[in-house]
Structures are given as structure tokens and as C-alpha cells.
Amino acid sequence: MSTFSTKLRLAIRAHVPTLVLGLPGVGKTAEIQAMAKTMGTRLWTVIASFREPQDFGGLPVVGKETVKINGQSFSVVEMAPPRYAIEAAEQGGLVFLDEITQTPPAVQAPLMRLVHELVCGDLRIPRGKVAIVAAGNPPDVATGGWDIAPALANRFRHVKHVLNQTEWSSNFGHYWGGPPVLEMWGEAIPEAAWLRHRAAVAGFISARPSMLLAFPKNASETAGAWPSPRTWDFVSRLMAAAE
């Protein structure tokens, strides 16, 4: 088990929401997904950057309950939670808030209560049944990034994702235990071919470790092509498809 996974598991056991920060393409999302898989738990990925405030604060709906005040009847307005929160409360697992550093301030405010109190709309999620994990890029490298409000930042344990080349190379060849099926329109890429080319990529990175991640120093070049764990995954797929 990697040091990164160990830190996340400890935070989950201690009921401490964790924010993972790292450069684009280093594998933050993939590693969190792999960890949930090895733990045998459900994972709900919520892309926080394009969610609306009501996706965390709840959507106002007119409920069936009515109350009488001074002889007048009023319908009770409820703050309905979205599906991911309802399913998580029922089944238990991890709620993964991805791209949180690209979340606008209007969305960060209602997000605080979910992170700290496990409350989404009028739904109170049972503590000890659901854990919160978030990930994002540092604001200076995130496209359209925002600074995380101090009140929200203080609700997280902050973990920096450090890319370990040796560990990455040893795991990349067998895709951390199980490659997904690559199939399009009934034509599949054989798993053996893909694993063979992944082993070749892992061997190349072992010989040229500086090529694993080369984030451009010039901001004008970040919109172009540059090597990262994500793009090396693309390379292995394209090589297997070409074969």
C-alpha cells in the first residue's frame, strides 16, 4: 500500500475530511478510485467545479406537510438533497469532491456544511458511514482556479500528492491490479497487448524518470502537450490500439 493511500485510510478512520492537492495529470483521481476499489466501498465522484450551490445546500421544493399559523395554512418548503447524497446516506462509502480548487465562491459556501457536518440540504448523512475526500490543483496551475475560502480550507486535512516514480513504474505495468476494458463499437483492444505496451512505457520511465512529469515552467505552454502520468496512459492505449 502506498504512503498516499495509508494517509487517506487513516483520515477516513478518524472522520477527518481530506483535501489532496497536486499538479494536473499526476493520478490523484485514479489513486483515490483505486483505493475505494481495494477497500470494496462505493465511490461517488462529484465534480465540484461545475456543480450549483443547491447541489450541496439542497434544492427548495414544496413538501407534503402543511402547518397552520393564525388560521392560515402554509406548505412546508424542504431543501431536497441530490441523488449522490441520498445514495451515500443509504449505502455508505466515499463522497469524492473532485476539482474543488476550481469551485466558485458561491458554491464553496454551502459545501462547507457537507464537508464538516455531513449535511446536504435537509439530509443529515450518518457519521461513520460516509467519508469526504476532495482533490484539486493548486490555484496557480488550475484553469479558472479559485482560492479556497479560509473557512472551507480549515475544514480539511491537507495532503500533498507526491509522485513517486519508482512506485508509479512498478504499478503502471499491471494497471494497479486490473485494467479496464478498452472496447469501441464491438472492437476491443486485447488486454495482453495493452499490458505489454504499458510494461514498455514503465521501462522507459524507469530509464528516463525525468520524463514522467514535466509541467511547463512557462504558463503559455501549459495549453500544449507535456508529459504526465495521464498522458503516458494515453500513450500505452494508442500503442496497443495501433498493434
Side-chain angles (χ1 to χ4, degrees):
M1 185 187 301
S2 68
T3 302
F4 176 76
S5 296
T6 301
K7 289 180 179 179
L8 283 182
R9 286 174 182 249
L10 287 174
I12 290 169
R13 289 182 61 190
H15 298 184
V16 177
T18 299
L19 170 58
V20 181
L21 290 169
L23 291 173
V26 296
K28 301 182 298 296
T29 298
E31 193 154 358
I32 290 170
Q33 291 173 338
M35 184 193 70
K37 186 176 180 180
T38 59
M39 291 174 64
T41 188
R42 280 289 307 272
L43 177 74
W44 288 268
T45 299
V46 181
I47 309 301
S49 58
F50 63 71
R51 289 282 183 163
E52 300 292 332
Q54 56 265 31
D55 290 318
F56 304 111
L59 182 68
V61 296
V62 178
K64 297 179 180 179
E65 182 183 355
T66 60
V67 295
K68 279 192 174 183
I69 300 178
N70 297 328
Q72 289 183 283
S73 294
F74 297 92
S75 297
V76 176
V77 175
E78 302 172 352
M79 302 301 288
R83 175 176 291 183
Y84 77 85
I86 295 173
E87 291 182 352
E90 290 178 339
Q91 303 173 31
L94 299 178
V95 173
F96 173 39
L97 305 170
D98 205 0
E99 299 180 8
I100 196 170
T101 49
Q102 294 172 266
T103 305
V107 179
Q108 291 188 32
L111 185 55
M112 293 183 203
R113 200 169 182 217
L114 172 64
V115 172
H116 189 60
E117 301 177 43
L118 287 179
V119 172
C120 187
D122 286 338
L123 173 65
R124 185 172 293 277
I125 301 172
R127 192 168 293 278
K129 194 172 182 180
V130 173
I132 301 290
V133 180
N137 309 129
D140 58 332
V141 301
T143 303
W146 300 83
D147 287 330
I148 299 179
L152 178 58
N154 190 245
R155 283 164 164 78
F156 283 106
R157 173 201 185 195
H158 294 239
V159 174
K160 185 177 181 181
H161 187 282
V162 179
L163 189 60
N164 184 306
Q165 178 271 315
T166 302
E167 188 176 275
W168 183 89
S169 295
S170 65
N171 284 291
F172 183 77
H174 56 80
Y175 208 90
W176 290 269
V181 176
L182 290 184
E183 182 176 345
M184 181 63 74
W185 299 312
E187 183 178 354
I189 296 176
E191 180 182 327
W194 191 20
L195 293 177
R196 184 162 57 252
H197 289 292
R198 288 180 75 84
V201 170
F204 173 78
I205 295 301
S206 295
R208 301 280 299 277
S210 63
M211 293 297 293
L212 176 57
L213 176 65
F215 190 80
K217 296 181 180 179
N218 189 334
S220 63
E221 298 176 355
T222 57
W226 44 275
S228 72
R230 177 189 292 138
T231 56
W232 286 117
D233 177 59
F234 293 165
V235 168
S236 70
R237 297 178 185 220
L238 292 168
M239 291 171 64
E243 179 181 310

